[in-house]
Amino acid sequence: MNVAERGGWATLAARPRVVAAGVALWCLGLLGFGLYLQHVVGLEPCPMCIVQRYALVGVALLTALAAALPRRGARLGLIAAALVVAGLGAFVAARQSWLQWFPPEIQACGRDFYGMIEAFPLKRAIPMIFRGSGDCTAIDWTWLGLTIANWSFLNFVAMAAVCLTLLVGGARRR
């Protein structure tokens, strides 16, 4: 049975460079939509949203490089790194979703992301970002009953699943 007859996940794993390029384009589309929401709709990203954007940029760069490299070993390494970055993005999105569902009793709007990085050492700024501020709990936009953080989580999980499929498929072909 050839690859086309198997269908589904096996077809994805059989064309890792095409799929990696597709994931990179997927990330660019999400980044473009985020910029649309910011600059056209007028939504300001909170610190956790900015971290999620960086995760999208990371996944996009790693998968674009994986798509460009002909060597399987290097490609699998980059896809594994993209899997880790997608997992971190999913973690941040899940934390933000949690904060939106169960906001802290005391909502003090903290500094923005860049203000935190400039004013505090990195070891203090990172926990402040994940603690969230009043801005991170705000629900400014929904679609089909899900917030931006919820959609971001779903997209990161789907990207991680695709990366894992590519890794498993690449390891089986060795």
Side-chain angles (χ1 to χ4, degrees), residues 24-36:
L25 290 173
W26 180 6
C27 291
L28 292 177
L30 290 173
L31 285 166
F33 184 66
L35 291 173
Y36 166 80

Side-chain angles (χ1 to χ4, degrees):
M1 178 181 339
N2 67 25
V3 175
E5 292 171 349
R6 285 187 277 178
W9 294 104
T11 303
L12 283 180
R15 298 185 170 263
R17 294 175 75 183
V18 172
V19 174
V23 171
L25 290 173
W26 180 6
C27 291
L28 292 177
L30 290 173
L31 285 166
F33 184 66
L35 291 173
Y36 166 80
L37 288 176
Q38 180 178 353
H39 296 290
V40 176
V41 177
L43 301 180
E44 285 300 316
C46 71
M48 292 178 120
C49 294
I50 292 171
V51 171
Q52 291 168 59
R53 283 187 185 181
Y54 284 134
L56 281 173
V57 169
V59 173
L61 289 174
L62 291 166
T63 54
L65 283 172
L69 292 178
R71 290 192 14 231
R72 183 185 314 181
R75 185 171 50 245
L76 289 177
L78 289 168
I79 290 171
L83 173 64
V84 170
V85 174
L88 292 172
F91 171 77
V92 174
R95 177 68 178 140
Q96 185 177 5
S97 294
W98 178 266
L99 287 171
Q100 288 175 342
W101 291 328
F102 305 104
E105 290 185 26
I106 301 172
Q107 288 191 10
C109 289
R111 297 175 178 254
D112 67 348
F113 179 75
Y114 299 107
M116 286 183 209
I117 299 296
E118 289 175 1
F120 299 103
L122 199 56
K123 70 179 186 177
R124 269 190 72 200
I126 289 178
M128 291 170 70
I129 292 167
F130 288 104
R131 198 173 309 123
S133 66
D135 294 336
C136 292
T137 62
I139 298 174
D140 298 325
W141 183 89
T142 61
W143 187 56
L144 298 177
L146 298 175
T147 67
I148 296 171
N150 303 148
W151 283 110
S152 181
F153 174 77
L154 293 173
N155 276 282
F156 278 120
V157 168
M159 286 177 212
V162 171
C163 288
L164 187 60
T165 300
L166 291 175
L167 286 175
V168 170
R172 284 187 181 161
R173 282 198 304 266
R174 283 188 168 193

